[in-house]
Amino acid sequence: MKKWILHTMSFIFSIVFFSCTAEEEAINTPDNDSGEVWVSFKLNMPSSRNITDLDNNYYWERYIDQTDVHVFVFANDKYQEKITYLFWGNEEDGSETRTIQGRIQSAYQGQKIELVILTNIKNRVTAEPKLTAGKTTKTDLYKELIFQYGTEAWTFSEKVKNYIPMWGISTPISIEADKMNDSGIINMYRAIAKIDIKINEGKGIENFKIKKLELHNVPDKGYCASLKTPNSDNNIQFEEASYPDDIKGSRIFEVFSSETGEEKAIENKIYIPETGKYKPYPYFKIQIYAEVNHKERTYDLYMRENQVDKLSSFEIIRNHKYMINIKTITSTEEIKMVYNVNSWGQGTTVDIPFN
């Protein structure tokens, strides 16, 4: 399979945080005259939060739970402490940016620190990480933070509040006591990928209807943070999938059904952890139950350039959106498709046509 690298705009997320009051009052800036050490950072998504977002699930796909934000301090790639004392600021006028301020225990003289942020993990991760100050590396931490996919297909809405695990890391900064040390905007990345299906770009195909979709062999777990982190160029996102070696996939999840099959686009239904070219085994696939020319047909869709050649398999990478477009139906009732992928948000689309 050809190597492809996705160039994206920096992808950052909004956050809906509340103060301790019911009406979300502004929080005073901490008093920095006492020798305490403070850092600040922002999580931001420059998209309006409106009813359209609620209609198409987008808002809930990017939501971050205030009570489930974890900030770890690293210096020279070694864990130092977890920030447990945080202030949440109000939104700035005309913007959705939210400044978060945290108190740390030391100024770490002569060292630069990085802030590692993990969110939406308390309902997904089964074990607390074991951290040793001065010894635990970022990779050590990431390897311990494994989320479980669970026994039902993931969905997101106002009622289903088990939100998507996300990870981000600040640029290294030197800090000082008696001042607010700004870590800037931190880009957050989702730990899973999304798959949407359209029929002829949403126009439909005569005498072809999708009646049901099932996911087969979905990985049972994934890393909350990628072990294949982007390089120093923030415009390059992840180039490889990152997943535990012992992932398994043997379950079946129904994610869509329709008696009429009138839907011409099936979106906001499929969310899965990262997969490799040949993992998990049995291979992940989407099973399509369709009505073609008034007859029932079943199609197995693998993540491959060539459906019958497993050597053409490609990875499913976190924080990316995979878009399957069923273009035509052949005279033998086979389906012809093209496959596009981009950043789960704004980014360059890469065409991966099926043979």
Side-chain angles (χ1 to χ4, degrees):
M1 175 184 169
K2 61 188 177 185
K3 182 177 180 182
W4 46 273
I5 300 177
L6 300 177
H7 293 264
T8 71
M9 297 175 65
S10 296
F11 195 74
I12 49 185
F13 291 80
S14 70
I15 194 164
V16 181
F17 286 125
F18 301 89
S19 71
C20 58
T21 65
E23 297 182 356
E24 194 181 58
E25 297 176 355
I27 299 175
N28 293 330
T29 302
D31 180 3
N32 293 317
D33 295 330
S34 59
E36 294 178 343
V37 184
W38 289 85
V39 293
S40 67
F41 56 91
K42 293 181 180 180
L43 305 180
N44 173 63
M45 175 64 172
S47 297
S48 62
R49 294 199 293 260
N50 54 36
I51 192 64
T52 301
D53 289 342
L54 296 176
D55 287 344
N56 65 18
N57 258 28
Y58 183 65
Y59 175 70
W60 304 110
E61 291 172 356
R62 62 190 177 94
Y63 185 79
I64 296 176
D65 180 359
Q66 171 195 351
T67 66
D68 197 6
V69 177
H70 309 268
V71 185
F72 303 90
V73 178
F74 280 79
N76 297 320
D77 196 40
K78 297 294 190 297
Y79 167 75
Q80 304 298 322
E81 62 178 287
K82 182 177 180 180
I83 299 179
T84 57
Y85 188 60
L86 298 171
F87 283 108
W88 313 99
N90 282 337
E91 290 176 284
E92 301 169 5
D93 291 341
S95 171
E96 291 191 7
T97 54
R98 185 77 60 132
T99 298
I100 305 167
Q101 300 168 345
R103 188 175 69 191
I104 60 179
Q105 302 302 313
S106 169
Y108 300 103
Q109 296 294 334
Q111 302 180 77
K112 289 190 174 182
I113 69 164
E114 296 170 296
L115 303 180
V116 172
I117 316 294
L118 287 129
T119 69
N120 299 341
I121 64 176
K122 66 183 179 183
N123 293 319
R124 304 292 196 186
V125 176
T126 57
E128 288 287 330
K130 300 179 180 64
L131 303 173
T132 303
K135 292 186 177 180
T136 301
T137 65
K138 290 192 291 291
T139 299
D140 293 335
L141 172 63
Y142 300 162
K143 285 182 177 179
E144 289 202 50
L145 290 172
I146 296 174
F147 67 85
Q148 305 298 315
Y149 190 79
T151 57
E152 296 181 355
W154 284 18
T155 58
F156 306 98
S157 67
E158 185 176 8
K159 295 181 180 179
V160 183
K161 296 187 180 298
N162 290 328
Y163 304 114
I164 300 173
M166 301 183 195
W167 163 87
I169 185 169
S170 72
T171 56
I173 63 166
S174 298
I175 58 175
E176 303 174 27
D178 299 325
K179 66 172 289 187
M180 184 62 67
N181 299 273
D182 184 12
S183 293
I185 296 175
I186 296 180
N187 301 335
M188 300 295 291
Y189 299 91
R190 298 177 179 94
I192 59 174
K194 178 179 182 177
I195 302 173
D196 285 343
I197 297 175
K198 289 186 177 182
I199 303 173
N200 188 24
E201 297 289 355
K203 301 173 186 176
I205 298 173
E206 187 177 1
N207 294 323
F208 178 80
K209 299 178 179 181
I210 294 179
K211 306 298 282 291
K212 185 169 70 169
L213 290 179
E214 289 179 348
L215 308 183
H216 289 237
N217 309 322
V218 176
D220 60 343
K221 66 185 72 171
Y223 287 126
C224 293
S226 177
L227 274 63
K228 309 289 186 180
T229 56
N231 62 25
S232 57
D233 183 351
N234 287 331
N235 290 322
I236 297 181
Q237 239 193 60
F238 304 93
E239 301 174 22
E240 299 178 60
S242 176
Y243 48 85
D245 290 336
D246 61 346
I247 60 170
K248 299 176 182 177
S250 60
R251 298 165 300 171
I252 299 173
F253 300 117
E254 180 180 307
V255 293
F256 170 81
S257 65
S258 170
E259 292 185 4
T260 64
E262 294 299 324
E263 289 82 353
K264 297 178 176 61
I266 302 170
E267 301 171 299
N268 308 318
K269 301 291 185 183
I270 303 173
Y271 306 87
I272 68 168
E274 291 181 293
T275 69
K277 291 182 180 180
Y278 312 116
K279 277 194 173 185
Y281 184 83
Y283 303 129
F284 168 75
K285 67 180 181 181
I286 302 172
Q287 195 158 82
I288 300 175
Y289 296 83
E291 181 183 297
V292 185
N293 297 323
H294 308 291
K295 296 178 293 185
E296 293 183 355
R297 286 291 304 264
T298 303
Y299 302 94
D300 289 339
L301 170 61
Y302 293 94
M303 310 307 280
R304 297 172 182 169
E305 291 186 70
N306 184 333
Q307 287 293 289
V308 298
D309 181 9
K310 66 181 181 181
L311 296 179
S312 69
S313 299
F314 53 89
E315 298 178 319
I316 299 177
I317 301 176
R318 70 179 56 220
N319 207 70
H320 286 86
K321 179 179 177 181
Y322 294 77
M323 295 159 287
I324 301 165
N325 182 38
I326 299 174
K327 295 180 67 177
T328 59
I329 307 299
T330 69
S331 59
T332 58
E333 297 180 350
E334 297 302 319
I335 57 179
K336 291 292 184 179
M337 299 166 289
V338 291
Y339 203 103
N340 299 332
V341 57
N342 66 12
S343 158
W344 190 347
Q346 297 175 340
T348 301
T349 298
V350 178
D351 290 332
I352 306 177
F354 282 116
N355 295 328

